[in-house]
Amino acid sequence: MRSTDTIFALSSGGLPSGVAVIRLSGPASGTAVEALCGRQPPERRASLLSIRNRNGEKLDDGLVLVFPGPNSFSGEDCAELQIHGGRATVKAVLAELATMEGLRAAEAGEFSRRAFLNGRMDLVEVEGLADLIVAETEMQRRLAAEQSSGGLSKLYDSWAKRLTHARAMIEAELDFADEDDVPGSVASAIWQDMQTLKQEILNHLSGVRAGEIVRDGLKVVIVGPPNAGKSSLLNHLARRDVAIVTEIPGTTRDVLHVDLDLDGFAVRLYDTAGLRETDDLVEQEGIRRTQRSMAEAHLVLLLSAVDNPDWAAFIEGYDGPVVRVRTKADMRDTAWPAPNADVMISVRTGDGIAELLDRVGSYLPDLDQGSALALPTRHRHADNLAAACAHIEAALAVGDRGLDIQAEHLRLAGQALGRVTGRVDVENLLDVIFSEFCIGK
């Protein structure tokens, strides 16, 4: 991957479409536009131009824009061709670009990678942009917008500045202790602030689970014995036939899932194999996958169609939150609600479904409209923030035994924060992060 290349790609998604946007970035962007259109339009102004191949054959008419660097998305000279979104038309324009010297098709995430390398975005903003593109619920959109706009980066940068200030004061005392204008001790001011900073990071880390749920969805696993109504419930909530439903036990052999939008949050429901003793090797594998899904769940819906089941027997070894659901309530003359269940439902009549969804909703994060969406959303965020916190704590624990040791711990804390935003030591992260992007972004 050579940053001197000019790259191009379809950036507007699947075809056919009403409009397709082809993006270029690199030093030959303007030259490529001139070759296709006969001239370059004025900077940052959309111009309707004919797009032709090298033989003069007209490929399409479209809006053409050029964005000189460094004030562009990638920080380089950029251009966009907004053309009709037919497959043949887009294919012809891309093929013509591929014949030009110095141009090549972009790799996944390469436009955003160049924006990072040119200082247009940091890693947190890049990751927020990736999440914004794939956001499907309102809360996912809000969380991604907070990160892609730099809200979270500003918080981390403010912490990094406080660490830098603390180190500067320590270095001043170490190097200029005999000077009259250097404080005799940094303990009262600096270490009080570092104690506060440590607590702020710990408070921030307490939002890791909430950030994970907002970004990836609340993972809800439906378990229970065969014929308890697990697949029927999944189909009812999905409003389509996702799972096969029969009276034959053991129909579900693999883990199926559907995604719901509940109060703006993503909720991922998993239908699993019925829990029972069996000699069927395929069904045994399905049960093993059920148990693995339970271990990764945020919430388990434990279903039973019989009165007074042994609930604990079905979830042995699982110690997370459970909602006990009595199913097929319309098929039996029984008390409502069942005395040993949290909720009773009937997918045939719809009774109890709203109450069940309310129960599930109670396990979603309680977020307000303010700064609550400044949340860490990835394991690498949490790991580096925890490392920064540990180094600050180590510096505080040193006490009077050595300012130089304390300064080193604060330097390491700053490095850990820098790895979150990409300020330092990030080369090994780039391929992983940008591989999440689609071509053209």
Side-chain angles (χ1 to χ4, degrees), residues 276-416:
R276 65 169 181 171
E277 295 292 334
T278 179
D279 294 328
D280 187 314
L281 292 178
V282 178
E283 192 174 352
Q284 286 178 358
E285 174 60 19
I287 292 171
R288 187 188 68 79
R289 296 186 183 188
T290 296
Q291 294 167 338
R292 184 177 63 189
S293 295
M294 288 171 58
E296 299 171 353
H298 296 118
L299 174 65
V300 163
L301 301 184
L302 178 55
L303 274 56
S304 177
V306 302
D307 296 326
N308 301 314
D310 184 1
W311 298 104
F314 296 122
I315 54 171
E316 186 176 355
Y318 172 77
D319 57 0
V322 177
V323 175
R324 300 172 300 172
V325 183
R326 169 71 161 76
T327 61
K328 304 182 183 180
D330 58 299
M331 298 177 63
R332 288 179 173 81
D333 184 15
T334 185
W336 193 287
N340 64 342
D342 298 311
V343 62
M344 288 182 65
I345 66 168
S346 169
V347 297
R348 183 172 298 176
T349 66
D351 288 334
I353 297 297
E355 183 184 352
L356 176 61
L357 291 177
D358 286 342
R359 292 264 185 172
V360 173
S362 68
Y363 290 91
L364 293 169
D366 183 14
L367 303 178
D368 58 30
Q369 297 290 325
S371 61
L373 285 176
L375 300 170
T377 59
R378 283 172 165 80
H379 289 303
R380 77 169 196 89
H381 297 177
D383 290 345
N384 284 304
L385 289 169
C389 193
H391 283 300
I392 294 173
E393 187 172 8
L396 291 167
V398 170
D400 298 330
R401 287 176 289 169
L403 284 176
D404 53 345
I405 298 176
Q406 290 176 308
E408 176 63 13
H409 279 301
L410 294 185
R411 185 186 69 83
L412 293 173
Q415 280 194 339

Side-chain angles (χ1 to χ4, degrees), residues 81-403:
L81 307 174
Q82 300 179 12
I83 62 177
H84 294 97
R87 289 191 175 91
T89 301
V90 172
K91 182 178 180 181
V93 175
L94 292 176
E96 185 64 21
L97 288 171
T99 66
M100 297 182 183
E101 185 177 355
L103 270 67
R104 62 172 175 82
E107 300 176 9
E110 193 170 358
F111 288 93
S112 297
R113 181 167 184 154
R114 290 188 176 196
F116 166 74
L117 293 174
N118 290 323
R120 298 294 293 174
M121 294 188 292
D122 64 29
L123 285 185
V124 175
E125 292 170 326
V126 166
E127 290 168 331
L129 178 60
D131 290 342
L132 190 61
I133 292 169
V134 299
E136 296 182 344
T137 70
E138 175 60 14
M139 296 305 297
Q140 287 176 331
R141 182 199 65 77
R142 285 176 53 197
L143 181 68
E146 173 75 13
Q147 295 195 9
S148 63
S149 64
L152 198 56
S153 298
K154 290 177 183 176
L155 175 64
Y156 297 156
D157 286 342
S158 70
W159 289 346
K161 288 179 181 177
R162 287 161 67 182
L163 284 168
T164 301
H165 173 70
R167 286 178 56 205
M169 294 298 290
I170 292 172
E171 295 293 344
E173 182 166 339
L174 286 171
D175 295 340
F176 306 104
D178 295 333
E179 300 292 335
D180 293 336
D181 58 347
V182 175
S185 174
V186 298
S188 59
I190 296 303
W191 298 118
Q192 183 177 355
D193 184 53
M194 291 299 97
Q195 184 69 47
T196 302
L197 177 57
K198 185 191 80 168
Q199 191 58 50
E200 288 178 11
I201 297 175
L202 287 174
N203 293 342
H204 184 68
L205 282 170
S206 67
V208 168
R209 182 179 181 277
E212 177 186 89
I213 290 175
V214 174
R215 178 176 181 263
D216 299 324
L218 184 74
K219 186 173 183 180
V220 180
V221 178
I222 306 171
V223 302
N227 284 348
K230 300 183 297 297
S231 297
S232 296
L233 176 60
L234 187 78
N235 290 343
H236 181 84
L237 294 175
R239 298 183 180 180
R240 58 190 174 92
D241 291 336
V242 179
I244 298 173
V245 178
T246 73
E247 295 181 358
I248 303 172
T251 304
T252 302
R253 302 296 185 91
D254 206 347
V255 177
L256 307 175
H257 77 268
V258 297
D259 293 335
L260 305 179
D261 186 336
L262 187 60
D263 298 329
F265 290 87
V267 175
R268 177 160 286 190
L269 283 170
Y270 292 82
D271 179 26
T272 59
L275 298 171
R276 65 169 181 171
E277 295 292 334
T278 179
D279 294 328
D280 187 314
L281 292 178
V282 178
E283 192 174 352
Q284 286 178 358
E285 174 60 19
I287 292 171
R288 187 188 68 79
R289 296 186 183 188
T290 296
Q291 294 167 338
R292 184 177 63 189
S293 295
M294 288 171 58
E296 299 171 353
H298 296 118
L299 174 65
V300 163
L301 301 184
L302 178 55
L303 274 56
S304 177
V306 302
D307 296 326
N308 301 314
D310 184 1
W311 298 104
F314 296 122
I315 54 171
E316 186 176 355
Y318 172 77
D319 57 0
V322 177
V323 175
R324 300 172 300 172
V325 183
R326 169 71 161 76
T327 61
K328 304 182 183 180
D330 58 299
M331 298 177 63
R332 288 179 173 81
D333 184 15
T334 185
W336 193 287
N340 64 342
D342 298 311
V343 62
M344 288 182 65
I345 66 168
S346 169
V347 297
R348 183 172 298 176
T349 66
D351 288 334
I353 297 297
E355 183 184 352
L356 176 61
L357 291 177
D358 286 342
R359 292 264 185 172
V360 173
S362 68
Y363 290 91
L364 293 169
D366 183 14
L367 303 178
D368 58 30
Q369 297 290 325
S371 61
L373 285 176
L375 300 170
T377 59
R378 283 172 165 80
H379 289 303
R380 77 169 196 89
H381 297 177
D383 290 345
N384 284 304
L385 289 169
C389 193
H391 283 300
I392 294 173
E393 187 172 8
L396 291 167
V398 170
D400 298 330
R401 287 176 289 169
L403 284 176

